[in-house]
Amino acid sequence: MQNSYEVEHRLGYRVLRWVLAVALISGVTVSTVQVILDAGRVSQSLDDQAQQTMALVKDASTQAVFSIDADLAQQVVDGLFAQEAMRVARITHPDGEPLGSRDRPLKESASRRITDPIFESERYYRKELSRGTGTGNVYGYLELKYDTGPAARTWLERASITLPPASLLPSFSEWCCLWFSIYC
């Protein structure tokens, strides 16, 4: 004879099990969406940083290429390397000959195989260097390559903090509720 008073046969137990499952699934879903949105913000932040940097050094770069001043061009390029993410900076003539140039290798990281498909390993930006707004004379180019590794590493750290609690903390509180509903 089967005992109908077993815990598994109580309606409250079955309902609580469904509620806990839904809470766990929704917690993981919301956290995943948050991580995806954060990746989009990081990507946009990388682009914004590059645009701001190019706007900041545009006049000095234009002056260097207009007056064919290799020392000034190299000073501008060296100054850009104060940024951790800068990988390549180059001021070139329209024919492609570099006036000032510097590069460093990509920063190696174990997380690159996760973050590079999301953010790419590096991002390339190029701006025409000209004087005035309507002249149409291009004196050269400012070319920048950003290593996405530092920003991607920060994003991955935030993601690793966001996702595990979403699956563990609700489940811990859910199990506490389950325990109280069964044994109290």
Side-chain angles (χ1 to χ4, degrees), residues 29-124:
T29 303
V30 167
S31 292
T32 302
V33 168
Q34 182 180 358
V35 167
I36 291 169
L37 291 175
D38 190 35
R41 283 190 292 269
V42 167
S43 182
Q44 185 62 45
S45 174
L46 286 167
D47 293 339
D48 291 345
Q49 179 185 5
Q51 296 303 322
Q52 290 171 359
T53 300
M54 288 191 300
L56 185 68
V57 299
K58 181 183 185 291
D59 289 339
S61 301
T62 302
Q63 181 61 39
V65 79
F66 179 73
S67 59
I68 310 174
D69 187 347
D71 291 333
L72 178 58
Q74 195 59 46
Q75 284 178 352
V76 171
V77 166
D78 290 342
L80 290 169
F81 272 78
Q83 297 181 39
E84 179 188 16
M86 188 63 62
R87 186 175 120 49
V88 174
R90 188 175 298 125
I91 297 173
T92 62
H93 290 287
D95 63 1
E97 181 184 335
L99 189 60
S101 180
R102 184 171 166 190
D103 63 271
R104 62 179 160 209
L106 287 171
K107 290 184 173 58
E108 294 298 320
S109 173
S111 62
R112 280 219 178 256
R113 52 177 222 263
I114 297 170
T115 59
D116 282 356
I118 298 169
F119 298 106
E120 303 170 7
S121 61
E122 63 183 9
R123 300 227 177 148
Y124 176 75

Side-chain angles (χ1 to χ4, degrees), residues 109-182:
S109 173
S111 62
R112 280 219 178 256
R113 52 177 222 263
I114 297 170
T115 59
D116 282 356
I118 298 169
F119 298 106
E120 303 170 7
S121 61
E122 63 183 9
R123 300 227 177 148
Y124 176 75
Y125 303 93
R126 183 176 181 180
K127 187 167 192 77
E128 292 181 347
L129 300 174
S130 61
R131 288 191 148 173
T133 54
T135 61
N137 293 336
V138 176
Y139 300 113
Y141 299 97
L142 172 62
E143 300 173 4
L144 304 177
K145 287 186 182 178
Y146 275 84
D147 182 354
T148 61
R153 184 180 56 245
T154 303
W155 170 81
L156 191 60
E157 289 169 0
R158 281 194 309 263
S160 66
I161 291 170
T162 302
L163 282 177
S167 59
L168 297 177
L169 289 180
S171 116
F172 175 74
S173 61
E174 292 164 1
W175 286 113
C176 288
C177 290
L178 178 63
W179 186 82
F180 278 117
S181 68
I182 293 172

